[in-house]
Amino acid sequence: MAKESTPKEMQRIDYNPPTKGWMDTPVNIKPGMYCYPAKPEKIEDVGMPNPHKWSVTDEDWHLPADWKETFLEGMRDRLQKHRSFKIFMDICVRCGACADKCHFFLGTGDPKNMPVVRAELLRSVYRGEFTKAGRILGRLAGGRKLTPEVIKELWYYFFQCTECRRCSLFCPYGIDTAEITIIGRELLNLLGLNINWIQEPVSNCYRIGNHLGLQPRTYKENIEFLLDDIETYVGIRINPTFNRKGAEILFATPSGDVFADPGIYTLMGYLMLFEHIGLDYTWSTYCSETGNFGFFTSLEMAKRLNYKIYAEAKRLGVKWILGGECGHMWRVIHQYMDTFNGPADFLEEPVSPITGTKFENAKSTKMVHITEFTADLIRHGKLKLDKSRNDHLRVTFHDSCNPSRAMGLLEEPRYVIKSVCNHFYEMPENTIREQTFCCGSGAGLNASENMELRLRGGFPRANAVRHVHEKYGVNTLACVCAIDRAALPALMNYWVPGVTVAGVTELVANALIMEGEGPRTKNLRGEDIPGREEAGNV
Ligand code: SF4
Ligand code: SF4
């Protein structure tokens, strides 16, 4: 287990190829590398099929009687429905360009974590069950039959993929292994084989409104506690509105930021920023989640969860939606929203009420990313900033996979950080921007029982942070994703102690000079700002 291995031990990764081919290497399910099964009642909550009790370590996973037909029928259906899936099943030439691009392969040395092999696990079933050559020639044509052992292997490795899409950047044919994982997980879900770390948030979000299952009252109270903290550290009282009809903008963000450290500091940042510019906006206790764990379950579930953001915008009669710092939520919004539930023509094309900027890129989704919004405010000189308050921070930026690769959000966070911090350092080129390395915990894998997997998968990211930590003294890892804020602290504590994790809007708020503020001797975490303990604000 990870906790028993030192970083030095964990770094000893065996990249030697196995003596046998991958089809002859049976799956070896190891503790620390997988998440616990979904609880049947959480599957029932959302009407998904085949809820049942099973254990990963049991020989018999209690698959439904018609498991094979269900899986193959589901696959046939998706081969017809998704042209990309059919193409990805057909065209890989096994050139190997993607082989060493996955953080899970780099962190484990397990060949089945090479994207090409991960996809081949399902592709071999496609060949063996759906193609004439595969049906007749079997292994000679790269085909195999679907068996319970194959199901176990698919489950183990599709839940060792964070759907980060890094591998797709390097494939000359544009094969996107994340899309294969998405379909693979959908098929496993037909058999009731989800993991609970995904299923329970899905159920909570569907029934209560957010992944954490915070009731509307609790959601509001948590924000009110943070308002008290702002009053303590900044000296002003903010009174935001909730569920207010007729507000110009609906602000929606992941519930993780309402609940846990360090996301709560980012949320305090939103509150301060909006107060500073006098934004006419409202929070919603119904649309209290923008993250979408449905996306890690099935596209249909993702669609259902995405819907409530827009239903709430309609109910409240807002003009457009401002979205907080989240990762996969933005992938869903940018790449799927229009065909799921959009275009959202009942809303207006977003225009900043402060600068007049039209956000053309949000023409159809009507949803603007907070760092685009903030960057625009800064560019128009609308924020009063004292960046020297962040002088004790030496900052680097982790491009979260989805905002960077799925929506091209590369410059705005950097522009914002450089506007509020004097010391910014980039990690090596092949580890940032579109080539960014995943945190290792995305796509619903940020549980605690699979910590070894997370630490191994996060190793390439941590290694790049370690580089700038040692070279420039970087002590702060900024990010724009709630899962990153939840997952990266454990990764840093293990691989690069001394580096803390912060949302970009937290850094903005620390630098923000607010009207009527008191002496700013402490940051939003209640820590003394070095050099200002006695002097007060300057
Ligand atoms: S999508 Fe990411 S995690 Fe999945 S195989 Fe590709 S690089 Fe690995
Ligand atoms: S880079 Fe593309 S074509 Fe080459 S092995 Fe990987 S998925 Fe197949």
Side-chain angles (χ1 to χ4, degrees):
M1 280 287 294
K3 280 206 175 128
E4 292 157 10
S5 306
T6 64
K8 244 190 183 152
E9 286 161 351
M10 200 171 309
Q11 258 172 276
R12 275 186 225 121
I13 302 163
D14 182 6
Y15 293 112
N16 287 317
T19 45
K20 291 181 186 164
W22 72 264
M23 273 204 215
D24 295 317
T25 309
V27 58
N28 178 13
I29 294 182
K30 291 191 212 153
M33 301 294 281
Y34 61 83
C35 297
Y36 298 144
K39 293 177 188 157
E41 62 272 24
K42 302 297 166 194
I43 296 178
E44 277 162 13
D45 282 342
V46 288
M48 288 174 65
N50 288 312
H52 67 283
K53 273 210 162 124
W54 59 287
S55 164
V56 180
T57 47
D58 284 354
E59 186 60 30
D60 184 355
W61 282 13
H62 305 295
L63 299 178
D66 59 349
W67 66 270
K68 193 166 182 176
E69 297 74 34
T70 303
F71 190 98
L72 293 178
E73 200 42 55
M75 198 164 168
R76 180 172 294 109
D77 180 44
R78 283 156 183 81
L79 286 164
Q80 283 162 1
K81 204 158 56 180
H82 303 291
R83 202 165 147 254
S84 54
F85 179 50
K86 172 82 170 63
I87 291 172
F88 296 162
M89 288 294 100
D90 278 325
I91 64 167
C92 173
V93 295
R94 303 190 212 178
C95 69
C98 63
D100 60 350
K101 303 303 185 295
C102 175
H103 48 287
F104 284 119
F105 171 66
L106 294 172
T108 63
D110 182 343
K112 290 184 187 173
N113 270 325
M114 290 178 179
V116 54
V117 183
R118 194 188 311 286
E120 199 68 12
L121 299 177
L122 189 59
R123 202 178 276 123
S124 54
V125 174
Y126 163 71
R127 290 201 201 98
E129 302 278 2
F130 291 91
T131 68
K132 199 183 259 179
R135 272 197 295 254
I136 296 167
L137 298 172
R139 284 180 62 149
L140 276 178
R144 64 174 175 169
K145 293 293 175 197
L146 189 63
T147 64
E149 277 312 296
V150 170
I151 293 285
K152 287 183 181 177
E153 188 175 53
L154 293 173
W155 182 85
Y156 193 55
Y157 288 102
F158 285 141
F159 287 103
Q160 286 192 21
C161 167
T162 43
E163 302 177 3
C164 78
R165 302 177 67 230
R166 186 171 193 269
C167 51
S168 72
L169 283 186
F170 301 90
C171 174
Y173 293 88
I175 294 174
D176 188 343
T177 302
E179 297 282 335
I180 297 171
T181 295
I182 288 169
I183 299 293
R185 287 191 185 186
E186 275 203 23
L187 297 171
L188 292 165
N189 267 281
L190 296 177
L191 307 180
L193 298 179
N194 202 354
I195 59 172
N196 203 56
W197 194 255
I198 293 175
Q199 193 67 43
E200 191 152 342
V202 164
S203 158
N204 285 341
C205 196
Y206 188 68
R207 291 178 304 112
I208 302 168
N210 53 71
H211 291 156
L212 297 166
L214 303 173
Q215 295 289 346
R217 191 188 62 246
T218 314
Y219 185 83
K220 190 163 174 270
E221 280 171 1
N222 279 15
I223 293 179
E224 282 163 356
F225 284 134
L226 298 175
L227 295 169
D228 293 342
D229 284 353
I230 292 173
E231 190 166 13
T232 305
Y233 304 133
V234 182
I236 59 163
R237 186 73 201 176
I238 297 172
N239 294 301
T241 59
F242 292 85
N243 309 320
R244 177 164 60 89
K245 286 190 174 175
E248 182 171 359
I249 294 165
L250 167 64
F251 179 68
T253 200
S255 62
D257 286 351
V258 181
F259 185 69
D261 175 338
I264 50 173
Y265 310 121
T266 302
L267 192 127
M268 289 161 79
Y270 302 143
L271 290 159
M272 289 168 61
L273 177 69
F274 303 153
E275 177 74 8
H276 182 66
I277 59 174
L279 196 68
D280 176 13
Y281 82 107
T282 186
W283 294 81
S284 163
T285 54
Y286 170 69
C287 176
S288 51
E289 181 65 70
T290 48
N292 192 328
F293 271 38
F295 187 52
F296 311 139
T297 298
S298 72
L299 293 171
E300 182 54 31
M301 202 62 233
K303 176 180 170 172
R304 287 162 77 186
L305 298 188
N306 170 263
Y307 181 72
K308 73 182 159 46
I309 302 175
Y310 288 87
E312 182 65 339
K314 196 172 204 171
R315 188 183 75 87
L316 295 175
V318 300
K319 289 184 180 168
W320 54 277
I321 308 163
L322 184 58
E325 295 185 17
C326 185
H328 62 275
M329 141 200 172
W330 285 104
R331 180 162 175 208
V332 172
I333 297 289
H334 269 255
Q335 297 192 326
Y336 296 89
M337 156 53 199
D338 268 357
T339 46
F340 277 174
N341 296 309
D345 288 339
F346 58 91
L347 296 173
E348 292 180 16
E349 194 177 323
V351 176
S352 169
I354 315 299
T355 66
T357 297
K358 223 180 214 194
F359 293 97
E360 300 274 351
N361 56 322
K363 214 181 189 112
S364 101
T365 62
K366 314 292 196 294
M367 194 155 171
V368 175
H369 193 286
I370 184 70
T371 55
E372 294 175 277
F373 183 71
T374 307
D376 177 65
L377 291 169
I378 295 172
R379 194 166 65 85
H380 284 87
K382 299 294 181 188
L383 302 187
K384 283 192 202 148
L385 298 165
D386 175 3
K387 63 201 287 198
S388 71
R389 283 188 199 150
N390 284 326
D391 270 356
H392 56 296
L393 305 181
R394 301 174 89 79
V395 184
T396 193
F397 178 62
H398 163 64
D399 292 270
S400 307
C401 299
N402 289 305
S404 61
R405 278 192 280 273
M407 65 183 289
L409 191 85
L410 305 172
E411 301 307 330
E412 289 86 344
R414 289 178 166 79
Y415 176 73
V416 173
I417 294 170
K418 286 181 199 165
S419 301
V420 300
C421 298
N422 281 314
H423 308 295
F424 176 74
Y425 306 91
E426 289 280 18
M427 286 181 270
E429 217 176 307
N430 61 345
T431 73
I432 58 169
R433 296 176 181 266
E434 282 184 316
Q435 293 192 43
T436 187
F437 272 116
C438 179
C439 63
S441 301
L445 301 186
N446 55 326
S448 50
E449 65 264 23
N450 63 338
M451 191 52 90
E452 178 168 348
L453 176 74
R454 291 174 53 192
L455 294 176
R456 287 186 177 280
F459 174 58
R461 167 41 73 225
N463 208 24
V465 177
R466 186 159 62 188
H467 174 76
V468 285
H469 175 65
E470 287 171 358
K471 193 165 177 186
Y472 305 113
V474 160
N475 56 15
T476 304
L477 178 59
C479 61
V480 286
C481 168
I483 287 185
D484 283 335
R485 280 191 287 280
L488 288 171
L491 195 70
M492 292 300 106
N493 285 343
Y494 187 81
W495 291 114
V496 206
V499 173
T500 53
V501 177
V504 169
T505 308
E506 178 190 346
L507 301 177
V508 172
N510 275 328
L512 206 57
I513 304 170
M514 301 196 59
E515 203 167 312
E517 68 179 22
R520 296 283 290 271
T521 58
K522 291 192 186 295
N523 64 19
L524 299 186
R525 300 181 183 215
E527 301 159 345
D528 289 333
I529 301 175
R532 300 196 177 222
E533 301 89 337
E534 298 299 326
N537 199 11
V538 284

